[in-house]
Amino acid sequence: MFDRSVKIAPSILSADFANFGQEIRAVEAQGADWIHVDVMDGHFVPNLTFGPPLCKAIRPHISTVMDVHLMIAPVDPYIDAFADAGADVLTAHLEAGPHIHRTLQAIRAAGCKAGLALNPGTGIEDIDYLLDMVDLICVMTVNPGFGGQKFIHSQVEKVRNLRAMIGDRPVHIEIDGGITPETAPLMAAAGADVLVAGSAVFKGGSVEDPAPYGENIRAIRASVDTP
């Protein structure tokens, strides 16, 4: 059932890499709605992270939604591998290749929800004919490639315009980058309903002491809850 309630999606890029399974279970127990997996290829973005084997390994530990963000180019040759690894949502970048329509078709054909990501410098005018092919649009509020960057405020207006463009379609708007209790309400007010947060969720906690994860998630959620 589609709903626009705000969902918090911790990014495991900020988790303890040696304890992914325990970290995921801990953060879900502390209130995470989705688990966000940042896949980077060292080519489309200047960092190298995870592939399908890692996604397959952590899938049994995820009881919510496995939200896989492909910051890779090309995308199409890897769609089936990530789908087979258990991704619920597969998001590809508009900028990653010349045939995004085909990519979105392939993601849905593989049995996943189709996401479309937009870099900070990319406008929304090119996605009008794609809105009926996507289940999620991810607006990057930092330049993709690294965690811990500062929030780019110009994207608030982009999200507001995007929300108007989407209308009553069942399409999530996800925000990735620089989400904190200070920036989350700006994006929720503009129309976003999935908030990816890395360091803002995982800071101060650990597998041995996961309580700060819950405190951080509740702080973000409280910042967007309207009285």
Side-chain angles (χ1 to χ4, degrees), residues 68-137:
V68 179
H69 179 188
L70 299 177
M71 287 170 271
I72 66 175
V75 176
D76 295 10
Y78 302 98
I79 289 171
D80 287 343
F82 281 104
D84 292 344
D88 294 304
V89 182
L90 264 185
T91 297
H93 271 255
L94 177 69
E95 307 88 358
H99 305 297
I100 190 64
H101 190 284
R102 177 185 296 154
T103 299
L104 295 170
Q105 283 181 316
I107 289 171
R108 283 188 164 178
C112 299
K113 299 286 189 182
L116 176 64
L118 304 175
N119 284 337
T122 301
I124 62 173
E125 57 277 354
D126 291 331
I127 68 171
D128 197 23
Y129 293 103
L130 300 171
L131 287 177
D132 293 321
M133 301 189 63
V134 298
D135 302 288
L136 175 148
I137 297 176

Side-chain angles (χ1 to χ4, degrees), residues 8 180-182 184-185 200 213-224:
I8 311 297
T180 66
E182 290 70 46
Y213 299 164
E215 294 166 8
N216 295 336
I217 289 170
R218 287 190 292 275
I220 295 171
R221 204 181 300 280
S223 76
V224 303

Side-chain angles (χ1 to χ4, degrees), residues 24 28 33-37 55-56 58-70 79-91 104 106-115 134-136 172 174:
I24 288 164
E28 284 190 339
D33 299 296
W34 293 14
I35 298 297
H36 189 81
V37 184
C55 291
K56 186 174 183 178
I58 65 174
R59 177 70 255 193
H61 301 278
I62 298 173
S63 63
T64 57
V65 172
M66 186 174 182
D67 176 33
V68 179
H69 179 188
L70 299 177
I79 289 171
D80 287 343
F82 281 104
D84 292 344
D88 294 304
V89 182
L90 264 185
T91 297
L104 295 170
I107 289 171
R108 283 188 164 178
C112 299
K113 299 286 189 182
V134 298
D135 302 288
L136 175 148
H172 295 293
E174 179 176 77

